[in-house]
Amino acid sequence: MPATSRPTVRSAITALAVTFAVALIPQAASAQAAGALAVSHKSPFNCGKTFYANNWTPTHNPAGSIDWQNYGSDAINGETVRATAAGTATFYNAGSTSYGRWVEIRHSDGTRTRYAHLATQVKSPGSSMTVSQGTVIGTVGSTGGSNAPHLHYEQRTSSGAMDTSPTVEGTTVSLGTKKALKSTNGCGGGSPTNPNTPESVCGSGFTVIDSAALTGGRVYLLYNSGNKNNCVVTLKTTSLGTATSVSAFLQPKGESKASDSGKFDYYAGPVKRDAAGQCVVWGGSVGSSTYTSPSEHCG
């Protein structure tokens, strides 16, 4: 289930001394010592957003990582986090220590990027997904060993060594420097897409058998022939990564209604009920746009 709230915004972030678990962090080394990064990286934020990229020293751990921080009056807390380059993303949760909620993306040349202290993630820990440059992977927060909301970001070589002078948006942020960078991520004119699918939300064995359009989303009815369960999920197509009102419901004939509603980043649901041989009423909403089906799918 997507997060229903965001952490409190703080107005400024100073240099943060973050202590990471040793098991997660190999010894830092420069890219020149272990092979230069070949993939081009954009800012991990929405198109047009400007934030400080702070590669501070001497106590930042690991050396060479960037803390993305507030810029001017624009607080970074709760901002949408996007993949800086295409690859395969894997999702983790270190709890109240180290990176907290974090994502590692392995890119086509074997290099990696890491995104830590996330408030929310688009997939559960242990999951993975293929991402394009600009795919939404979570939101900025302050989980793990963090003192205030920011995005901890790393670029690593294929051997796992740190690049201590990472390049983002064509600008090298050398060790000990702080630069304001404006994002061009997702500025190509295409609309952002929801990283979830009805099948990924409802789980293995479910297949879409019906759907209905909503303003700002779509509600889906799925069926699992193995366990005879129906599942309803409402996926947003607008305000992605921002918590807005969404709902989904399912009611087998003659039974009580099961529903899920609240302010969610990407979807409402899954709502599952055993409805073998029963007609069902199903539907959902995005904002003020609603859909309620007739009693149907009675087989």
Side-chain angles (χ1 to χ4, degrees):
M1 176 61 56
T4 60
S5 62
R6 293 179 170 182
T8 303
V9 175
R10 304 183 188 182
S11 58
I13 299 176
T14 57
L16 303 173
V18 181
T19 301
F20 293 102
V22 173
L24 288 174
I25 302 174
Q27 184 177 356
S30 68
Q32 288 72 25
L37 300 176
V39 171
S40 177
H41 294 271
K42 293 191 175 183
S43 166
F45 303 107
N46 289 341
C47 175
K49 282 284 190 176
T50 299
F51 290 108
Y52 276 121
N54 190 359
N55 189 352
W56 55 275
T57 189
T59 57
H60 198 197
N61 189 8
S65 52
I66 289 176
D67 276 357
W68 292 91
Q69 301 173 338
N70 299 345
Y71 177 76
S73 61
D74 198 354
I76 200 168
N77 189 34
E79 285 290 329
T80 297
V81 177
R82 298 180 178 274
T84 60
T88 300
T90 304
F91 297 79
Y92 302 91
N93 187 357
S96 60
T97 64
S98 186
Y99 292 148
R101 292 183 178 274
W102 65 287
V103 178
E104 180 175 85
I105 300 178
R106 290 181 178 259
H107 306 289
S108 59
D109 61 353
T111 61
R112 316 168 198 176
T113 48
R114 290 183 175 183
Y115 313 72
H117 307 312
L118 300 175
T120 65
Q121 299 165 294
V122 300
K123 291 283 188 179
S124 60
S127 300
S128 62
M129 63 184 284
T130 300
V131 297
S132 302
Q133 187 174 65
T135 298
V136 174
I137 57 174
T139 59
V140 175
S142 189
T143 58
S146 170
N147 296 330
H150 68 288
L151 177 66
H152 175 95
Y153 173 78
E154 301 173 12
Q155 290 181 3
R156 292 174 176 258
T157 67
S158 56
S159 68
M162 287 290 299
D163 177 6
T164 56
S165 294
T167 298
V168 182
E169 296 288 353
T171 299
T172 298
V173 186
S174 301
L175 194 66
T177 64
K178 179 180 180 179
K179 299 181 180 181
L181 300 181
K182 184 177 181 179
S183 177
T184 63
N185 208 343
C187 294
S191 299
T193 58
N194 195 317
N196 305 282
T197 65
E199 293 86 355
S200 69
V201 175
C202 287
S204 177
F206 283 93
T207 302
V208 174
I209 59 172
D210 207 343
S211 69
L214 298 166
T215 301
R218 194 170 192 91
V219 58
Y220 297 86
L221 176 67
L222 296 86
Y223 183 68
N224 186 322
S225 59
N227 58 23
K228 311 302 181 184
N229 283 356
N230 283 109
C231 178
V232 177
V233 58
T234 301
L235 297 183
K236 294 166 54 175
T237 56
T238 59
S239 300
L240 297 174
T242 300
T244 59
S245 296
V246 198
S247 72
F249 76 87
L250 174 62
Q251 183 175 18
K253 185 176 181 180
E255 299 183 15
S256 61
K257 179 191 294 186
S259 63
D260 179 46
S261 64
K263 290 189 174 182
F264 303 128
D265 292 340
Y266 296 99
Y267 61 85
V271 179
K272 299 179 182 180
R273 294 289 294 271
D274 182 354
Q278 295 173 276
C279 303
V280 295
V281 176
W282 59 280
S285 66
V286 175
S288 61
S289 179
T290 65
Y291 173 77
T292 298
S293 79
S295 182
E296 58 185 0
H297 297 287
C298 303

